[in-house]
Amino acid sequence: MEIIILPDAAEVGRVAGAKIASIVAGRPQAVIGLATGSSPQGIYAELARRVQAGSLSFAEARGFALDEYVGIPADHPESYASVIAREVVAPLGFDPSRVRVPDGRAADLAAAAKEYDGAIAEAGGIDVQILGIGSNGHIGFNEPTSSFASRTRIKTLAPKTRQDNARFFDSPDQVPTHCMTQGLGTILEARELVLVAQGAGKADAVAAAVEGPLSAFVPGSALQLHEHATVIVDEAAASGLRLSDYYRYTYDNRPDWQRFE
Ligand code: GLP
């Protein structure tokens, strides 16, 4: 795992954006795993800046969202279908027909979840999966005790997650109780993982995921099983890490072939 500690949230977005850009520049048909929430917004801003400057294009790329709420209409402004359309597809210039979001409104949710994993496989798998992390250690909506072998499926949101996401809704009781999320097993099949976290509220989750024991209780610790995972955090989110001096030394002395900015 590569851990990159940067001074602030703006730098996290810039550097993580540069990493995604380098992958898409090398493979314009890349399949990107798309996260929602506040954490990846800086990445999308950096990518949109490059698209506007004409140095990057997502016209041939494909996208698969990580997760979706169950029980709110697709046109609800906070459905992840709406968020992905507004914050990713439009600003980055994706072809909307090449971007999918799990169908949280399907009559047969279990079948829709299975079909979603099949569609990812049919697209050739995900080249790079963008991830945030919840304050309780979840990735996607894989709440604590999610199996490392889990596939895309329905989950019940933890009370802490509903509380954290209440800021996006008019009132806390409007936050859906269920979701459909790529499983940890699905996420681990992506060829590369890039997780970003900002702020002191994520410090415990980042430390547990990166340096704690491998445990389904901390779903983010699944990254330790991946051969190509990069964790990009600001100082505040890094404040619980014990080996931060080593991570800084490693990044400062990285060989040229490892540079993507
Ligand atoms: C959300 C999403 C996750 C996200 C995480 C952190 O609810 N389902 O994909 O990474 O929780 O959210 P945020 O980035 O807003 O802190």
Side-chain angles (χ1 to χ4, degrees):
M1 193 185 302
E2 184 181 14
I3 296 125
I4 302 176
I5 302 172
L6 297 167
D8 53 35
E11 273 294 282
V12 170
R14 191 186 65 74
V15 171
K19 181 150 188 74
I20 306 298
S22 74
I23 292 167
V24 177
R27 184 168 149 69
Q29 310 83 2
V31 182
I32 321 282
L34 302 164
T36 50
S38 11
S39 307
Q41 284 174 354
I43 297 181
Y44 300 136
E46 172 66 18
L47 294 173
R49 191 186 64 73
R50 290 170 186 247
V51 168
Q52 272 160 26
S55 61
L56 188 67
S57 170
F58 286 84
E60 294 176 52
R62 299 187 63 163
F64 285 91
L66 254 185
D67 45 18
E68 174 61 296
Y69 290 116
V70 168
I72 54 174
D75 61 359
H76 186 293
E78 293 307 327
S79 78
Y80 285 170
S82 297
V83 172
I84 290 283
R86 185 173 67 233
E87 297 183 0
V88 184
V89 172
L92 271 53
F94 270 98
D95 172 349
S97 72
R98 294 170 74 80
V99 177
R100 286 200 52 180
V101 179
D103 184 358
R105 292 150 298 275
D108 185 341
L109 289 165
K114 198 169 178 314
E115 190 274 335
Y116 196 72
D117 269 355
I120 292 173
E122 229 170 79
I126 288 174
D127 288 301
V128 59
Q129 174 65 59
I130 298 170
L131 295 165
I133 187 165
S135 61
N136 66 356
H138 74 219
I139 55 174
F141 269 138
N142 292 281
E143 299 288 25
T145 71
S146 288
S147 163
F148 287 163
S150 52
R151 312 300 308 174
T152 300
R153 71 213 184 288
I154 306 305
K155 287 292 285 181
T156 307
L157 293 176
K160 177 77 176 112
T161 302
R162 293 189 69 226
Q163 195 184 318
D164 285 352
N165 286 7
R167 68 189 192 281
F168 296 114
F169 292 83
D170 292 337
S171 74
D173 57 324
Q174 285 182 11
V175 184
T177 53
H178 290 78
C179 63
M180 188 184 294
T181 181
Q182 284 188 37
L184 294 176
T186 317
I187 292 168
L188 287 173
E189 281 171 4
R191 284 182 272 283
E192 188 159 350
L193 305 179
V194 176
L195 183 145
V196 287
Q198 308 88 352
K202 299 292 175 69
D204 289 347
V206 168
V210 170
E211 295 180 339
L214 195 61
S215 167
F217 197 69
V218 181
S221 68
L223 266 70
Q224 297 176 31
L225 292 169
H226 198 280
E227 66 173 346
H228 206 166
T230 306
V231 173
I232 307 179
V233 291
D234 66 4
E235 291 286 353
S239 59
L241 293 170
R242 283 175 293 168
L243 277 185
S244 49
D245 286 350
Y246 169 63
Y247 309 141
R248 287 183 221 279
Y249 176 84
T250 304
Y251 185 61
D252 291 345
N253 292 285
R254 64 199 184 285
D256 280 347
W257 58 264
Q258 234 179 21
R259 291 174 191 264
F260 51 80
E261 312 97 295

